[in-house]
């Protein structure tokens, strides 16, 4: 007897839903399976970097997509529009009467997935938790002095530096609203000692308590994330009953799965696999010019590597890398490359500026710099990386490419694969002893976040103490009201950090996502969470 009906058979559905979902599906009649598949969106993507789904602790590449489906922020950005903000949980925002902060009018009638109504207290508590937990997202709003409840429909966010940007930052999934009652019942805390008192991480990783279109119901690391429709969603009935985000690290496996209809979209295909789909009648390609970038960070701690402590030696590495080869040969040309941490497309960062001030391969200059550093015979260093891929290109392949490039000027690279969790711990605590291959996707579309990170926490990771003029330049550019002057200041800042040679931007992806025609709307976004899951709709 076969169970094959419509889109899927029983075996495939069990595979899609995993162990937990399989237990549920086992008791259902056959005709339900086809309907279940039609009402289930399945994504194939490498989510090995997902180590938390707690909004207040986010720092990874793929997890914001899940979090943004389960929670809402006060304001948001529509796909393709990264300057003008759109309403979300707030319907109106304006400066406070004293000009020291921003006043938000909350949307009426918003409910959490429990059915309880969102309150101003929930909003304030959620921001307080981010601030007091002290994890990476708190650094993005370090200029927030306090959150005040004006009345049941109004809150104020008061700033220590009123001229510094806020709205673009809090559009990010890190700054969403949680249901206080549920979160606290499961160990969360927003008190001053939240850094040690908050015990909610484990619960939040497998559940959610937000107002978003879907609610998180399960997460198995390096397996899958499951979400279910939030029947109380304020934005209307979400189109899918379930969403399954399957971890598929291998592009070939994603290609096979999207062709067979096991998944509705494949995120990590290499150029050859993309080309193979161009004649596929049931699959289309959705391009997304991202603001993400993959980079290599280099320590300058002499106790780790004496050669890397010399700026000219690090610059020699920068001039030895074949960046065009990475973009053209490894990515099929589907990428850009900014000069530094400001991606192409934001103020002060264009392809022309990157060509003028960024590193480019120049082997003669690399050898000249090695001689100037007293290392004319080269030196040796390690590159650590995780077992993951971005845009279908693995970090290991990138490492091999760099290893081959720098060998041409006498520099030897030892490659060291590391588990993603250990890699992040080593890097963020400044214990990386050479180079680190990693990425950044924007927590929010705000230049100051990228630039401030370089001179603050990222500088500490590579044991660099930035001079005052570079630090001040970040603040000067971020608060400059004239767009032309602001762009010029950001160019000046990039020149200085390129010269410092602690970070080498390898590529800024233009994603090619393979989407089955069974999906109608598939709103990709470069704002930091890749895809508006609430906006994905089935065809027909």
């Amino acid at each position: 007897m076969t169970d094959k009906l419509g889109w899927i058979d029983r075996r495939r559905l069990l595979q899609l839903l995993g162990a937990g979902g399989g237990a549920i599906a086992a008791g259902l009649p056959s005709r339900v399976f086809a309907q279940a598949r039609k009402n289930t969106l399945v994504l194939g993507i490498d989510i090995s970097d997902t180590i938390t789904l707690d909004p207040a602790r986010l720092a990874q590449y793929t997890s914001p997509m899940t979090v943004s489906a389960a929670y809402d922020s006060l304001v948001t950005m529509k796909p393709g529009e990264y300057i003008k903000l759109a309403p979300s949980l707030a319907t109106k925002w304006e400066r406070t009467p004293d000009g020291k902060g921003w006043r938000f009018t909350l949307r009426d009638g918003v409910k959490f997935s429990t059915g309880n109504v969102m309150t101003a207290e929930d909003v304030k508590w959620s921001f307080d938790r981010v601030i007091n937990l002290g994890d990476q997202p708190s650094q993005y709003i370090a200029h927030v002095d306090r959150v005040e409840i004006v009345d049941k429909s109004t809150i104020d966010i008061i700033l220590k530096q009123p001229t510094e940007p806020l709205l673009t930052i809090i559009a990010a999934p890190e700054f969403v609203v949680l249901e206080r009652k549920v979160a606290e019942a499961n160990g969360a805390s927003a008190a001053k000692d939240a850094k040690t008192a908050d015990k909610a991480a484990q619960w939040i990783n497998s559940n959610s308590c937000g107002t978003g279109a879907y609610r998180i119901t399960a997460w198995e690391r390096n397996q899958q994330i499951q979400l279910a429709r939030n029947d109380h969603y304020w934005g209307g009935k979400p189109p899918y009953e379930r969403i399954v985000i399957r971890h598929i690290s291998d592009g070939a496996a994603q290609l096979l799965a999207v062709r067979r209809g096991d998944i509705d979209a494949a995120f990590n295909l290499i150029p050859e696999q993309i080309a193979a789909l161009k004649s596929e009648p049931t699959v289309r390609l959705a391009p997304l010019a991202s603001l993400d970038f993959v980079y290599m960070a280099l320590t300058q701690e002499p106790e780790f590597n004496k050669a890397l402590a010399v700026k000219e030696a690090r610059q020699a590495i920068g001039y030895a890398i074949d960046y065009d080869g990475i973009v053209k040969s490894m990515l099929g040309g589907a990428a850009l490359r900014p000069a530094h941490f400001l991606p192409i497309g934001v103020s002060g960062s264009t392809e022309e500026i990157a060509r003028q001030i960024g590193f480019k391969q120049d082997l003669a200059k690399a050898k000249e710099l090695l001689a100037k550093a007293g290392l004319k015979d080269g030196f040796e260093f390690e590159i650590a990386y995780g077992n993951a891929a971005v845009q279908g290109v693995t970090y290991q392949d990138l490492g091999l490419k760099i290893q081959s490039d720098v060998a041409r000027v006498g520099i030897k690279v030892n490659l060291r694969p590391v588990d993603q969790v250990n890699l992040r711990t080593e890097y963020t605590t400044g214990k990386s002893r050479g180079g680190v291959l990693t990425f950044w996707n924007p927590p929010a579309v705000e230049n100051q976040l990228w630039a401030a990170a370089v001179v603050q926490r990222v500088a500490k990771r590579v044991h660099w103490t930035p001079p005052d003029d570079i630090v001040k330049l970040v603040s000067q550019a971020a608060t400059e009201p004239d767009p032309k002057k602001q762009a010029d200041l950001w160019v000046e800042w990039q020149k200085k950090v390129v010269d410092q040679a602690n970070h080498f931007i390898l590529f800024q992806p233009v994603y090619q996502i393979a989407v089955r025609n069974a999906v109608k709307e598939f709103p990709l976004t470069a704002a930091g969470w890749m895809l508006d899951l609430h906006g994905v709709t089935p065809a027909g």
Side-chain angles (χ1 to χ4, degrees), residues 127 130-131 136-145 160 166 169-170 175 449:
F127 274 96
V130 174
I131 293 168
Q136 186 161 306
S138 70
Q139 299 172 29
Y140 306 146
I141 55 171
H143 58 307
V144 170
D145 183 67
K160 300 170 186 172
L166 175 74
I169 298 172
I170 63 170
F175 309 104
L449 290 184

Side-chain angles (χ1 to χ4, degrees), residues 69 138 238 240 273 297 304 325 346 394 409 414 428 430 432 454 473 477 504 537:
S138 70
Y240 291 97
Q273 293 159 346
F304 294 163
V346 302
T394 67
V409 295
N414 300 309
T428 57
S432 298
V454 173
L473 194 50
F504 306 90
T537 62

Side-chain angles (χ1 to χ4, degrees), residues 159-234:
L159 304 177
K160 300 170 186 172
Q161 300 293 334
T163 58
E164 292 197 3
L166 175 74
L167 299 178
T168 49
I169 298 172
I170 63 170
E174 286 85 343
F175 309 104
V176 294
V177 178
L178 284 68
E179 185 175 1
R180 176 181 181 177
K181 181 180 176 183
V182 173
E184 285 187 331
N186 288 283
S189 173
K192 293 293 183 185
D193 64 347
K195 194 167 187 175
T196 55
D198 190 286
K199 307 297 182 185
Q202 185 174 356
W203 184 86
I204 292 179
N205 281 341
S206 299
N207 303 272
S208 58
C209 51
T211 61
Y214 297 92
R215 55 189 174 84
I216 297 167
T217 58
W219 172 38
E220 301 167 76
R221 184 154 188 252
N222 288 336
Q223 294 293 321
Q224 63 178 342
I225 299 167
Q226 294 188 38
L227 301 102
R229 175 188 289 158
N230 173 13
D231 292 324
H232 301 285
Y233 183 48
W234 58 271

